[in-house]
Amino acid sequence: MPTETISLDNGALLTIRDAQVQDAVALLRYLDTIGGETDFLTFGAYEFSHSLEEEEAYIQECLHTDNKLLILGLINDEIVGVLHFTGEAKRRMRHSGEFGVSVPKAHWGLGIGSHLIRTMIEWAKAGEVIRKINLRVRSDNVRAIRLYEKFGFTREGEISREFLIDGIFYSNIFMGMPID
Ligand SMILES: CC(C)(COP(=O)(O)OP(=O)(O)OC[C@H]1O[C@@H](n2cnc3c(N)ncnc32)[C@H](O)[C@@H]1OP(=O)(O)O)[C@@H](O)C(=O)NCCC(=O)NCCS
């Protein structure tokens, strides 16, 4: 994926590019922190379980697999957003996959999440492999749902009790968008 630099409304320059193996340490540090900032992700602080070697291998895999994507948003070389898309492995299903996106709280509302999603959709359309993008979002994550709807994702179903946090169950909504 070509590197892109975008000027945000607040004047900051956002770079979006593929994660490289050299980003593994910063990426793991980012994931440790972001997990503690929100209950909307599937993991909490310091709960993301990849070792450095596993993270490096995952980055390599994303760089060399036509239905996987791992992109970073950076401002002044600091990671301010991450999006990963994982296509299925089996031949009959490798045209579809699920993505996840996160932006640190301090950078919410600047358009970073939108730029990461737009980039993924452009990548999917250009690659001609991906024909369906799926996602799961906690049913009370209004902000994220609105973001996905803005790009044309629609609700396809709901699964109950996917999250259990402090004794409370939360449902996940399945959303999807065809790529034609
Ligand atoms: C969801 C998330 C990625 C959005 O990132 P972001 O960079 O803040 O997103 P943007 O600035 O591009 O805003 C995207 C849209 O969110 C919606 N939005 C923004 N602020 C909102 C608010 N206070 N209430 C409701 N919707 C809001 C708007 O639709 C906005 O688009 P618009 O500005 O064009 O109208 C970010 O909030 C995040 O990381 N949250 C925690 C992790 C998470 O929930 N990840 C998704 C798991 S499925």
Side-chain angles (χ1 to χ4, degrees), residues 5-79:
T5 303
I6 300 133
S7 181
L8 298 176
D9 285 348
N10 70 350
L13 281 185
L14 172 73
T15 299
I16 294 185
R17 62 163 172 81
D18 285 313
Q20 304 294 328
V21 173
Q22 308 86 271
D23 296 313
V25 171
L27 200 43
L28 286 174
R29 208 174 296 140
Y30 171 92
L31 293 165
D32 278 344
T33 315
I34 196 94
E37 281 196 353
T38 171
D39 278 344
F40 289 135
L41 295 172
T42 53
F43 54 93
Y46 300 100
E47 216 191 335
F48 190 79
S49 54
H50 279 185
S51 67
L52 180 60
E53 292 70 29
E54 285 169 334
E55 191 62 15
E56 287 174 345
Y58 178 66
I59 293 171
Q60 283 284 14
E61 196 184 327
C62 290
L63 284 169
H64 298 108
T65 311
D66 61 5
N67 69 348
K68 289 187 179 169
L69 182 72
L70 179 60
I71 52 174
L72 307 180
L74 300 128
I75 294 178
N76 297 327
D77 291 330
E78 181 198 349
I79 300 178

Side-chain angles (χ1 to χ4, degrees), residues 1-4 16-18 69 71 119-120 123:
M1 210 207 60
T3 299
E4 192 185 351
I16 294 185
R17 62 163 172 81
D18 285 313
L69 182 72
I71 52 174
T119 303
M120 170 191 64
W123 163 81

Side-chain angles (χ1 to χ4, degrees), residues 38 40-41 101-103 107-114 136-137 141-144 146-148 150:
T38 171
F40 289 135
L41 295 172
V101 61
S102 64
V103 172
H107 299 277
W108 283 6
L110 296 175
I112 298 170
S114 298
R136 270 183 261 192
V137 57
N141 193 349
V142 177
R143 190 187 179 87
R146 195 164 306 169
L147 168 63
Y148 302 140
K150 188 175 85 173

